[in-house]
Amino acid sequence: MALVLAVGGCQSGDSGTGSSRQGFRPRDSVVDFGRVLEGTQARRAVAVLATGRMGLTVTASVEAPFAVVTSEVSIAGGGATEVEVVFTAGHGPSEGTLLLSGAGLTESVRLTGLGIRPTPCPERPCFDPRFDVASGTCVETPLEEGAACAPESRCQVDGRCQASVCVGHPRTCDDNNPCTVDACSPSRGCVTSRVACPAPQNPCKVGLCDRDEGCTAVDADDFSPCGPADCQTARLCFSGACREVTPPEGFVCAPATACQGEGTCQGGVCQRPDPVELAPELSLELEGVPTEADGGTVLLVSEDALYTSVCGGDAGCQLVAYTRSGLLRYASPYPDGGARTLLAASDAGVVVQAPEGLEAYAPRGSGARLWQAPWASLGAGEGLPLGASVASHIALTHEEDVLAYVAWRAVPDAGGVDDGGTSPESARLVWLSGREDAGALLGASQVEAWRGEARLGLDVRGTAYLYTVDGRLARVEVSPGVAEGGGGAALKLSALLDGGVPEGGASLAIAGGRLLVGARAFVPEDGGVPVLLSKGDGGAGVRVPIAEPALLSPAGQPGQLFARACARTDGVPCTAREERVVLRAVDPESGHVVWEVDALPDEVAPGTVYEAALLQGGAVAVLADAELPEGPQAWIQFFARGARVGSCPLPSRPRVAGAAFLGQHLYVVLSRDGVWRLESYGLGRDFTTEDRGWPQRHGGPSRMRVESP
């Protein structure tokens, strides 16, 4: 009886407190997931406590980006459980509400989290990079000593980490084939090109490389031209011998061009369809006026991209890039809105000359500036005032570093009188990194007195040469020690020819172990005796060489260059109407002219040669115009063996600013009816630009000034 009364009394008392009822509450009102990497998930357990002695079931729900693992949990009387919540991080802060329901009650928990977008971490050999969410920065952990790694240069293999530097062994690229030139590119690895065998003296023999015997001479194909050919007589090859024959009816006397079908012999005369105006395959209106439209470089062509520098409109001056099919890649305004002059382009960047120094811009993406090298950092006159004349001549190495011959004039003394001169007084050669630590000074020569206009060029092996118009030809060598004033290795200019090319222009072409210097002489790369080119034409007149274009075939012969011709022999200067421009082929062994042809489109009117390129098979393509009474007219012309074999007019009498030949196309910047445009024209199926040797005036359409292997 006492036990029953005792139990009943206890129950009656509990009824008054309500502790026998079902109930719950979350332990925390706010749950923070903290910083979570974008695209990943974080989990948190939300504690739920029972407030009564009777068990119950609680349902949980929440909206994205949060989610519950289990939507229903059970809690024992007086106990506790957990609801697991998952947060899928986006970019930026997120908030949500976890709703808990049971026994007629609803409670809520505020959920917060911050999604962190990772910064791409640079990948360096011998380091393990990771993005640290807590700090929002990249953390690099050195790999253990001796760990395998991939060297940054593809000219090294089997890399191992040594003091956090990836050190490898030199890659062997020799394929044991005498008919190939083997080299290694840090960005591409082993590269191979075919040997350019020298052209035999017999025009009916061709150089052919045999794996066992090396370069040999074999018979040219029968009916191959070996001299002048028309429909009356033609010099053709038969069984390795050149014979003069009468061409048969239907003999092809002129190749087809993009504007004219091939010519055939009919009744002893070369008959061919009339030419028509070329239609551009690509025509884009530029967003302004091209920089240096009066003769400077206005167009660069590199891989699948076209680059031009223009000024005009609200954007000021900008670098504009297109694909070769005409799609806009980017229009990147220069940081100060000022003008820039295009210098060269490669996969490492587009190098330009700015008022305050050299710069490079990304070839892809948004075209952002990659690096800047102020004139002062290159030693070009500390404290040089803005606007002073600073000239540069550059070439890009196979590693896409920048060699630049920079020149400057002296700063006027304080209180002194500036004579207003713009001629440079001092100069030096500098070597800048193009990729790793881009723009950094890797080497420099001593400061020297300004010797006049200069040209840089590199041969197929990467050896650099510098020519100045005072006749000095020098090989660039890297010397032990530190450059004058610090900032890298010392560059030495080792003279091969000093004062030995009189009256030579600023011209340098390199191919086949020869240098065509100043449009006046051939010089062996080993510094042998120069072969001077003949100046006149057998007493019939004077030929004054034009510095550029200067072209060399892969074998280094013949040389193709231009000259101003005057037929007068009485010593009286020629007038503009009397002076002509001729294209000459010159023998590098003797310096004598092999053939010569008028290079201008019109026989009477003066004109200008804008660009020229070697074509496969030894032909030459020339873009030139003529100043006709009704206005200028531009033509693409084709020359072979001393004859003009085709001529195609560009439409609507444009004014040309600059051009580049590449593949089977000509790309040209021109003005038509006051509007600047970028256009491309096909050359025709029988004409393809040579991709070896020194195929254009600057070595190639990207103006890198490097001999193509």
Side-chain angles (χ1 to χ4, degrees):
M1 179 67 72
L3 179 60
V4 173
L5 291 174
V7 173
C10 290
Q11 290 177 343
S12 176
D14 287 344
S15 173
T17 63
S19 59
S20 63
R21 296 180 304 180
Q22 292 178 321
F24 71 94
R25 65 177 178 84
R27 185 182 63 188
D28 302 307
S29 60
V30 178
V31 174
D32 184 14
F33 286 77
R35 298 165 63 89
V36 182
L37 194 65
E38 181 183 18
T40 64
Q41 293 183 332
R43 294 171 179 259
R44 295 288 186 272
V46 179
V48 181
L49 310 176
T51 57
R53 294 183 176 274
M54 297 182 64
L56 74 160
T57 298
V58 175
T59 60
S61 63
V62 69
E63 294 183 352
F66 302 93
V68 293
V69 176
T70 303
S71 61
E72 192 174 270
V73 295
S74 298
I75 314 175
T81 191
E82 293 179 341
V83 175
E84 190 171 14
V85 181
V86 178
F87 169 46
T88 302
H91 181 213
S94 296
E95 290 192 4
T97 300
L98 173 65
L99 296 178
L100 302 172
S101 302
L105 301 175
T106 298
E107 299 284 351
S108 64
V109 178
R110 181 168 169 258
L111 306 176
T112 62
L114 179 62
I116 302 299
R117 177 165 291 175
T119 299
C121 294
E123 295 186 3
R124 294 196 298 158
C126 297
F127 288 91
D128 179 22
R130 65 177 180 83
F131 179 77
D132 181 62
V133 178
S135 63
T137 61
C138 291
V139 177
E140 291 183 319
T141 303
L143 298 181
E144 62 182 8
E145 194 75 2
C149 58
E152 291 186 338
S153 172
R154 299 189 66 178
C155 292
Q156 293 186 338
V157 294
D158 300 328
R160 295 289 174 179
C161 293
Q162 298 180 14
S164 297
V165 176
C166 189
V167 179
H169 300 290
R171 181 188 294 273
T172 300
C173 292
D174 187 1
D175 60 4
N176 295 316
N177 185 349
C179 295
T180 61
V181 177
D182 306 312
C184 189
S185 164
S187 60
R188 294 184 292 165
C190 290
V191 290
T192 300
S193 61
R194 60 190 184 276
V195 165
C197 292
Q201 292 294 326
N202 185 344
C204 288
K205 298 285 186 179
V206 294
L208 180 68
C209 190
D210 180 82
R211 190 179 183 104
D212 296 324
E213 300 180 16
C215 282
T216 59
V218 299
D219 292 347
D221 292 338
D222 287 349
F223 295 97
S224 297
C226 53
D230 56 32
C231 292
Q232 299 294 324
T233 60
R235 295 186 62 82
L236 304 176
C237 295
F238 295 95
S239 301
C242 188
R243 300 177 183 176
E244 187 171 292
V245 299
T246 300
E249 288 288 297
F251 177 78
V252 176
C253 52
T257 67
C259 67
Q260 192 174 26
E262 67 182 12
T264 58
C265 291
Q266 305 292 335
V269 178
C270 188
Q271 301 283 352
R272 63 187 307 178
D274 292 334
V276 297
E277 279 193 348
L278 281 175
E281 296 182 8
L282 168 69
S283 184
L284 303 171
E285 183 175 340
L286 297 179
E287 297 296 326
V289 178
T291 307
E292 297 293 337
D294 58 349
T297 300
V298 299
L299 178 66
L300 298 175
V301 184
S302 179
E303 299 296 334
D304 187 43
L306 310 171
Y307 302 98
T308 185
S309 183
V310 300
C311 295
D314 296 337
C317 299
Q318 55 187 335
L319 177 65
V320 184
Y322 301 92
T323 66
R324 286 172 59 186
S325 60
L327 297 177
L328 178 67
R329 277 191 167 184
Y330 61 73
S332 177
Y334 297 120
D336 59 2
R340 304 291 193 273
T341 301
L342 297 178
L343 297 178
S346 72
D347 191 54
V350 182
V351 183
V352 303
Q353 179 172 323
E356 298 178 354
L358 297 179
E359 298 175 344
Y361 291 80
R364 302 177 187 84
S366 62
R369 187 167 68 181
L370 300 176
W371 54 264
Q372 180 185 32
W375 298 124
S377 72
L378 305 180
E382 289 287 347
L384 193 69
L386 183 66
S389 176
V390 182
S392 73
H393 313 282
I394 82 161
L396 304 187
T397 70
H398 294 295
E399 293 77 20
E400 297 172 327
D401 292 338
V402 179
L403 282 175
Y405 188 67
V406 296
W408 62 96
R409 66 183 178 93
V411 180
D413 294 334
V417 178
D418 183 5
D419 62 4
T422 58
S423 297
E425 296 184 359
S426 303
R428 78 186 310 200
L429 180 68
V430 296
W431 173 22
L432 306 177
S433 174
R435 286 191 176 273
E436 184 178 359
D437 198 18
L441 188 64
L442 299 179
S445 69
Q446 293 183 343
V447 175
E448 63 181 23
W450 170 245
R451 304 177 63 140
E453 281 292 303
R455 289 293 183 269
L456 276 164
L458 283 82
D459 66 13
V460 69
R461 294 176 178 81
T463 303
Y465 297 86
L466 175 69
Y467 171 72
T468 49
V469 293
D470 63 344
R472 190 261 309 261
L473 174 66
R475 181 188 293 115
V476 180
E477 299 175 350
V478 180
S479 301
V482 179
E484 179 183 286
L491 301 182
K492 180 182 178 182
L493 299 176
S494 179
L496 295 180
L497 200 66
D498 204 339
V501 182
E503 303 175 0
S507 174
L508 177 63
I510 306 171
R514 288 186 174 91
L515 303 119
L516 179 52
V517 180
R520 284 292 192 183
F522 285 97
V523 181
E525 286 189 20
D526 60 6
V529 178
V531 177
L532 297 179
L533 309 186
S534 59
K535 293 184 178 180
D537 190 23
V542 177
R543 304 292 187 262
V544 179
I546 297 174
E548 291 183 332
L551 311 172
L552 275 177
S553 68
Q557 61 179 338
Q560 313 267 7
L561 60 161
F562 294 80
R564 299 188 184 280
C566 179
R568 301 183 69 106
T569 59
D570 55 7
V572 178
C574 279
T575 65
R577 288 283 172 180
E578 292 174 320
E579 188 177 71
R580 305 298 301 146
V581 175
V582 294
L583 171 62
R584 317 178 88 188
V586 184
D587 180 8
E589 302 294 339
S590 64
H592 295 158
V593 176
V594 178
W595 52 257
E596 179 178 289
V597 63
D598 197 323
L600 294 180
D602 190 271
E603 295 181 357
V604 178
T608 302
V609 172
Y610 292 99
E611 187 60 273
L614 284 178
L615 303 178
Q616 293 179 7
V620 180
V622 177
L623 175 65
D625 70 3
E627 292 292 338
L628 303 177
E630 57 271 28
Q633 176 65 64
W635 281 266
I636 304 174
Q637 304 174 101
F638 304 96
F639 299 91
R641 298 179 181 88
R644 182 188 285 111
V645 296
S647 184
C648 294
L650 271 59
S652 304
R653 302 189 179 280
R655 291 192 175 273
V656 175
F661 288 94
L662 182 65
Q664 293 187 314
H665 288 83
L666 168 73
Y667 298 91
V668 57
V669 174
L670 50 79
S671 174
R672 186 181 292 113
D673 299 325
V675 178
W676 285 100
R677 309 188 72 84
L678 170 61
E679 297 185 344
S680 71
Y681 295 88
L683 303 181
R685 58 180 174 82
D686 294 325
F687 298 100
T688 302
T689 55
E690 179 64 71
D691 57 0
R692 300 179 300 151
W694 202 264
Q696 295 190 50
R697 71 167 72 188
H698 297 284
S702 63
R703 306 305 201 248
M704 292 177 65
R705 297 196 63 83
V706 176
E707 175 189 0
S708 301

